[in-house]
């Protein structure tokens, strides 16, 4: 009996399935995206890029269910997030009790409560134009004490390749290119030029760093990049 109890009481067993639930809820379990077992390693790579370590507080805009923050929560870091999907935000609050998760649009980001690092992951492609992206990015900058990370940005230089690969996959599944465009006509992703981020960095006097997505388990890596802003403190 005691051996079985030890098995059921193992925290990492439960934490693994909580994280799996989060990853799937955030939509990163389908073809061409992250595999659940590689998620923690992927997150660690991005944490290292913005210098997250013990004691560093992290806030995520567009946090979804909190899959990107959960590994930090388990380490004892202070975390928080915002997302416009109420069901996902409620999941984040349930799995990471004691921290603040708000249901609101990214444009409503509160800049009064500061965090060391403010990030977003796979968020900017859902904005429809540069104006919205700039509004959100400026608020992220004002909310951060040190570093801002904009991860998984759709690369404008790879836009044609992005659609080409998706159409090929769609056609292999028995549909036509016309059906592809019809299905995704109002569900397109927004692609970013690096000059957009350069202009913001210059305006706010920030250090700027671009890095490629390199995770071999992530099908979109070749089509996206990461952006890191650092304040002079």
């Amino acid at each position: 009996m005691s051996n079985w109890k030890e098995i059921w009481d193992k925290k990492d067993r439960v934490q693994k399935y909580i994280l799996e639930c989060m990853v799937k809820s955030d939509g990163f379990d389908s073809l061409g995206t992250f595999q659940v077992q590689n998620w923690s390693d992927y997150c660690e790579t991005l944490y290292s890029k913005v210098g997250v370590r013990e004691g560093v507080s992290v806030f995520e805009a567009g946090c979804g269910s909190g899959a990107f923050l959960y590994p930090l929560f388990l380490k004892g870091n202070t975390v928080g997030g915002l997302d416009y999907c109420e069901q996902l935000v409620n999941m984040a609050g349930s799995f990471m009790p004691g921290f603040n998760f708000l249901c609101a649009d990214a444009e409503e980001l509160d800049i009064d409560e500061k965090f060391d690092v403010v990030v977003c992951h796979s968020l900017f492609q859902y904005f429809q134009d540069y104006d919205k992206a700039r509004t959100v990015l400026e608020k992220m900058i004002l909310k951060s004490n040190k570093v801002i990370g904009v991860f998984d940005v759709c690369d404008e230089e790879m836009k044609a390749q992005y659609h080409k690969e998706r159409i090929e996959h769609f056609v292999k599944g028995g549909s036509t290119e016309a059906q592809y465009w019809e299905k995704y006509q109002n569900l397109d992703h927004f692609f970013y030029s690096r000059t957009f981020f350069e202009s913001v960095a210059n305006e706010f006097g920030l250090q700027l760093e671009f890095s490629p997505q390199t995770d071999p388990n992530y099908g979109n890596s070749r089509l996206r990049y990461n952006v890191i802003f650092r304040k002079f403190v």
Side-chain angles (χ1 to χ4, degrees), residues 2 5 8-9 26 35 50 59 65 70 79 95-96 98 215:
S2 60
K5 188 176 188 307
W8 296 122
D9 283 346
D26 284 345
Q35 300 298 312
V50 292
F59 185 94
S65 70
Y70 190 65
V79 297
F95 290 137
M96 291 178 279
D215 192 286

Side-chain angles (χ1 to χ4, degrees), residues 101-207:
F101 291 93
L102 302 174
C103 181
D105 188 272
E107 286 184 303
E108 301 174 45
L109 191 63
D110 172 30
I111 62 174
D112 292 329
E113 183 184 11
K114 307 295 184 183
F115 282 72
D116 297 323
V117 177
V118 176
V119 300
C120 64
H121 180 273
S122 293
L123 173 65
F124 271 43
Q125 68 258 31
Y126 297 114
F127 300 153
Q128 295 181 343
D129 53 48
Y130 280 114
D131 289 339
K132 169 103 179 227
R134 189 177 186 87
T135 298
V136 174
L137 182 54
E138 288 180 358
K139 288 201 170 186
M140 291 175 64
I141 292 169
L142 294 172
K143 189 174 183 64
S144 168
N145 286 324
K146 299 178 181 179
V147 185
I148 303 91
V150 183
F151 299 131
D152 208 34
V153 176
C154 291
D155 190 345
E156 186 177 63
E157 296 179 0
M158 300 299 290
K159 185 174 182 178
Q161 183 65 23
Y162 165 85
H163 286 299
K164 178 177 179 294
E165 293 182 7
R166 285 170 66 92
I167 289 170
E168 288 175 352
H169 176 69
F170 209 68
V171 171
K172 285 181 180 178
S175 300
T176 66
E177 181 175 343
Q179 289 173 322
Y180 167 81
W181 290 112
E182 180 181 359
K183 179 176 180 178
Y184 292 106
Q185 63 178 336
N186 295 317
L187 296 171
D188 198 11
H189 285 162
F190 193 76
F191 290 74
Y192 291 83
S193 166
R194 287 168 174 77
T195 57
F196 164 71
F197 296 104
E198 290 169 349
S199 67
V200 175
N202 290 333
E203 179 180 337
F204 282 85
L206 305 172
Q207 292 180 333

Side-chain angles (χ1 to χ4, degrees), residues 4-17:
W4 279 112
K5 188 176 188 307
E6 289 176 5
I7 292 174
W8 296 122
D9 283 346
K10 282 185 177 180
K11 287 186 177 181
D12 59 348
R13 183 186 68 84
V14 176
Q15 291 164 356
K16 171 186 174 183
Y17 292 112

Side-chain angles (χ1 to χ4, degrees), residues 20 22-36 39 126 166 169 184 189 217-220 224:
E20 181 177 0
M22 287 174 154
V23 171
K24 290 183 176 181
S25 296
D26 284 345
F28 293 119
D29 65 322
S30 58
L31 181 64
T33 54
F34 302 100
Q35 300 298 312
V36 173
W39 180 260
Y126 297 114
R166 285 170 66 92
H169 176 69
Y184 292 106
H189 285 162
N217 302 295
Y218 182 28
N220 286 327
R224 301 185 181 184

Side-chain angles (χ1 to χ4, degrees), residues 51-67:
V52 174
R53 59 188 182 280
E54 184 179 353
V56 171
S57 60
V58 182
F59 185 94
E60 183 182 7
C63 65
S65 70

